């Protein structure tokens, strides 16, 4: 289950609204959604969480590029909304690297039958299980733990250290640090 909220800064404080992400397919779509909620091109925060498994914050300031923080990149990678936030740039990959990796994987024969299952006659029942893949050797791997701009909320009252310690009910703590707890409760 997902929850998403927009917090838009105005001259009178923060305005909060919950939001549906059904039509959001890319980070660009999410950024456009945030900019539509902006008043005078001021700061808008998009908050997304999946049942205490992970949360992400996207900060949009006017026409600047969005700033992103994800609490657990590997958990977010298993989520359709998390994948939106985990851009090639955030992951330190060359743009389009996933497409190249997928194309190379299609070309490689994985020693097995036509559908990719290992041929039982080639397996050794007494063999030791394969070692865990090394993240450095797997360009498609997503690191576990926090990823992104740790200072995304620092100037708004939530330090990098505090951001790293958030786990459950992170949105309430973020809203409290911003002074937006009351407006958030009205929409939650």
């Amino acid at each position: 289950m997902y929850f998403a909220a927009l917090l838009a800064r105005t001259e009178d404080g923060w305005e909060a609204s919950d939001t549906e992400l059904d039509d959001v397919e890319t980070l660009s779509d999410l950024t456009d959604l945030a900019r539509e909620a902006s008043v005078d091109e001021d700061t808008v925060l998009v908050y997304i969480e999946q049942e205490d498994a992970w949360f992400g914050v996207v900060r949009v300031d006017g026409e600047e590029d969005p700033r992103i923080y994800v609490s657990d990149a590997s958990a977010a990678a298993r989520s359709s909304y998390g994948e939106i936030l985990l851009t090639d740039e955030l992951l330190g990959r060359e743009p389009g690297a996933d497409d190249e990796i997928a194309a190379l994987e299609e070309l490689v024969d994985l020693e097995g039958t036509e559908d990719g299952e290992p041929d039982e006659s080639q397996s050794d029942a007494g063999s030791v299980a394969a070692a865990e893949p090394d993240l450095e050797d797997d360009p498609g791997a997503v690191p576990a733990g926090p990823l992104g701009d740790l200072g995304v909320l620092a100037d708004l009252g939530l330090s990098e250290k505090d951001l790293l310690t958030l786990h459950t009910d992170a949105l309430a703590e973020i809203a409290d640090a911003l002074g937006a707890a009351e407006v958030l409760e009205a929409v939650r």
Side-chain angles (χ1 to χ4, degrees):
M1 174 113 176
Y2 292 94
F3 176 76
L6 290 172
L7 291 170
R9 186 163 48 182
T10 69
E11 61 186 40
D12 298 326
W14 291 91
E15 291 182 5
S17 61
D18 61 345
T19 187
E20 291 294 323
L21 299 177
D22 294 339
D23 296 331
V24 174
E25 295 179 8
T26 65
L27 180 59
S28 184
D29 293 343
L30 190 60
T31 303
D32 290 344
L33 181 70
R35 287 190 176 121
E36 289 170 10
S38 176
V39 175
D40 297 326
E41 295 190 6
D42 212 340
T43 301
V44 176
L45 301 175
V46 181
Y47 177 89
I48 303 170
E49 79 175 17
Q50 180 185 9
E51 294 183 342
D52 297 330
W54 67 273
F55 72 90
V57 176
V58 178
R59 178 177 177 163
V60 178
D61 293 301
E63 292 300 316
E64 292 180 25
D65 288 342
R67 296 168 59 190
I68 304 167
Y69 172 78
V70 177
S71 67
D72 187 339
S74 62
R78 295 185 296 271
S79 154
S80 59
Y81 293 123
E83 288 179 345
I84 292 170
L85 304 181
L86 298 175
T87 63
D88 287 337
E89 182 180 345
L90 189 68
L91 293 169
R93 297 180 187 158
E94 291 294 320
D98 286 339
D99 297 336
E100 292 174 19
I101 292 168
L104 289 173
E105 286 175 348
E106 286 181 22
L107 295 174
V108 176
D109 179 20
L110 299 176
E111 288 189 46
T113 62
E114 293 174 356
D115 60 0
E117 294 296 320
D119 186 349
E120 301 229 359
S121 65
Q122 294 177 2
S123 68
D124 180 11
S127 66
V128 177
E132 289 293 316
D134 186 356
L135 290 178
E136 292 178 11
D137 294 339
D138 184 1
V142 175
L147 186 66
D149 186 346
L150 292 174
V152 69
L153 301 172
D155 65 322
L156 299 174
L158 194 69
S159 72
E160 295 177 9
K161 179 183 173 190
D162 292 338
L163 185 62
L164 286 170
T165 61
L166 298 178
H167 295 289
T168 59
D169 207 17
L171 180 57
E173 292 186 44
I174 291 170
D176 190 43
L178 300 175
E182 288 180 23
V183 295
L184 179 64
E185 274 306 309
V187 299
R188 200 158 194 201

